[in-house]
Amino acid sequence: MSRNFNLKNKPEHNTESRIMNKEIFKDFLIKYAEIGIKGKNRYLFEDALIAHIQSALSRVEGKFSVYKTPGRIFVSALEEFDFDETVDAIKHVFGVAGICPIIRLEKGDPEDLKKSTVEYMHKMYEDDLSCTFKVFARRESKNYPLDSMQINAVVGEVILGEFPNLKVDVHHPDMIVYVEVRDHIYLYSEIIPGPGGMPVGTGGHAMLLLSGGIDSPVAGYMIAKRGVSLDAVYFHAPPYTSERALQKVVDLAKIISKYTGPIKLHVINFTDIQLAIYEKCPHDELTIIMRRYMMRIAQHLAEECGALALVTGESVGQVASQTLASLGCTNEVTDLPVLRPLIAFDKQDIVEISEKIGTYETSILPYEDCCTIFVAKHPVTKPLRKIIERHEGNLSEVIDDLLKAAYETERIIEI
Ligand code: ATP
Ligand code: MG
């Protein structure tokens, strides 16, 4: 059966499935997007990206060399390796726009290039491959007898001669065969999409408020995608919340750490603070007061670890504590910027991202959360700062000791 591909081999299209012979590859060209526009600091971003790719590959069997040449990052396998596992590891590295399995050729003379391209195409694709294509050559090193237009012409011609169902379309081809002439000649025609974003750590450090829900792991993923590394804090309320609920949060942190790199998870025992709020404050204000204490504690931990912002999974209007008035009221207790990447997302859109990044199945496990245990039937949706502050005053005799105890009993789990 002839394979008629409508997919284009741009990074946003997944063309991995049309690679027939993965065993012909031992080198990859890594495409990166926004790093390219960082001017003089570009090398910092490239070096961070290389370090993250190395760290991702350290979990994969085999030895790899990750290195850069001007404008390009390469991964070369130095021994036997598993193609799928390797690509999957690189796919989790923020900053990677695309992963191109490449063939590296000696420069030789143009006849060698023609022969090798034909060989490559036969190994990659079935002979009745039917779609449009073009050749896109770049000659970075001028000591090669053909310029890029000439390479396009001769390589295009030889491919047409071998694959009768291919047609040239220079404007909207289904497939592009890239020929890059540098220290070697690099040949590739498939770009497996990476996650995009910026290398983690190049955008500073933040503290994620990580609950066991659907939203906060997605929020952490999204901020890390912009290059921000994370610590996380979980407010635990034993015996009202179980060890299994804590384990669920640990599991979620593990899943997102595949993208974000190592996370320090701070587990704060919140029970006594919640009980005090329950005992001394009006019940319709429990949630908002509780959230204000979460923010205060998160800020304290953030300052200790050099985090410059707090991150939450809040979204306007999702629940009573996420009305604009409530968000304003929780913001007041911290000087740090509160990043809420999901603020304008519908729940369904958040669910889709959580499915894509692999947190959804864990997030929906039915373990209790500290917020749901001490929740009022009719929580305030328009809290007034003065009134909330007055009621928080009811805690004045106990709160310093309770906060001190919470910090003293903090547990740190390295993820
Ligand atoms: P999620 O799905 O992330 O739990 P949610 O819709 O259940 O969100 P809330 O319970 O109001 O919303 O929490 C809003 C945000 O507050 C969460 O996204 C998270 O950032 C933070 N948060 C809530 N509970 C906790 C907790 N126990 N520990 C740490 N952070 C929490
Ligand atoms: Mg929650």
Side-chain angles (χ1 to χ4, degrees), residues 211-216 291 322 369 371-372:
S211 71
I214 294 169
D215 306 326
S216 45
R291 299 201 51 72
Q322 296 175 27
D369 178 75
C371 299
T372 49

Side-chain angles (χ1 to χ4, degrees), residues 25 86 103 105 139 152 174 177 229 231 239 309 321 369 391 394 401:
F25 297 106
T86 303
I103 299 292
L105 306 170
R139 192 179 62 154
N152 289 345
D174 296 324
V177 178
S229 59
D231 266 35
S321 61
D369 178 75
H391 291 147
N394 299 350
D401 286 345

Side-chain angles (χ1 to χ4, degrees), residues 302-332:
E303 281 165 355
E304 277 185 349
C305 73
L308 300 179
L310 305 180
V311 182
T312 77
E314 290 159 313
S315 157
V316 175
Q318 208 185 69
V319 286
S321 61
Q322 296 175 27
T323 62
L324 287 184
S326 300
L327 293 171
C329 194
T330 30
N331 264 25
E332 269 159 12

Side-chain angles (χ1 to χ4, degrees), residues 118-333:
V118 165
E119 233 173 75
Y120 165 79
M121 292 295 287
H122 279 303
K123 281 186 184 150
M124 277 295 272
Y125 305 111
E126 288 167 15
D127 292 346
D128 57 355
L129 175 66
S130 160
C131 65
T132 60
F133 85 108
K134 77 169 179 183
V135 178
F136 185 83
R138 276 174 75 146
R139 192 179 62 154
E140 297 289 329
S141 129
K142 302 296 171 210
N143 63 349
Y144 189 71
L146 303 183
D147 67 20
S148 45
M149 293 305 283
Q150 291 167 323
I151 298 173
N152 289 345
V154 298
V155 174
E157 192 187 331
V158 76
I159 292 175
L160 276 176
E162 295 283 326
F163 290 85
N165 297 331
L166 282 186
K167 279 199 196 71
V168 174
D169 179 345
V170 290
H171 299 296
H172 304 288
D174 296 324
M175 171 191 292
I176 301 177
V177 178
Y178 294 88
V179 180
E180 295 197 7
V181 182
R182 296 171 179 273
D183 55 332
H184 286 76
I185 293 180
Y186 298 97
L187 192 61
Y188 62 98
S189 55
E190 299 297 337
I191 305 176
I192 301 161
M198 309 288 280
V200 172
T202 56
H205 192 65
M207 176 65 70
L208 168 68
L209 282 82
L210 181 63
S211 71
I214 294 169
D215 306 326
S216 45
V218 173
Y221 164 90
M222 287 177 70
I223 289 297
K225 187 171 174 194
R226 296 306 305 158
V228 177
S229 59
L230 298 173
D231 266 35
V233 53
Y234 168 59
F235 297 94
H236 190 36
Y240 303 97
T241 56
S242 63
E243 280 301 302
R244 283 195 312 181
L246 167 61
Q247 187 56 44
K248 175 179 165 183
V249 174
V250 170
D251 292 342
L252 287 169
K254 272 191 196 149
I255 298 170
I256 61 168
S257 75
K258 279 199 209 158
Y259 299 91
T260 65
I263 295 177
K264 234 185 227 166
L265 175 65
H266 305 253
V267 181
I268 292 289
N269 188 332
F270 204 47
T271 316
D272 290 343
I273 294 175
Q274 279 191 298
L275 289 173
I277 298 171
Y278 191 75
E279 192 186 317
K280 294 177 189 293
C281 301
H283 285 188
D284 59 349
E285 292 169 9
L286 289 180
T287 306
I288 193 80
I289 294 177
M290 190 181 78
R291 299 201 51 72
R292 281 162 61 98
Y293 278 101
M294 284 186 180
M295 294 306 234
R296 290 179 174 110
I297 294 171
Q299 158 148 338
H300 172 90
L301 300 174
E303 281 165 355
E304 277 185 349
C305 73
L308 300 179
L310 305 180
V311 182
T312 77
E314 290 159 313
S315 157
V316 175
Q318 208 185 69
V319 286
S321 61
Q322 296 175 27
T323 62
L324 287 184
S326 300
L327 293 171
C329 194
T330 30
N331 264 25
E332 269 159 12
V333 299

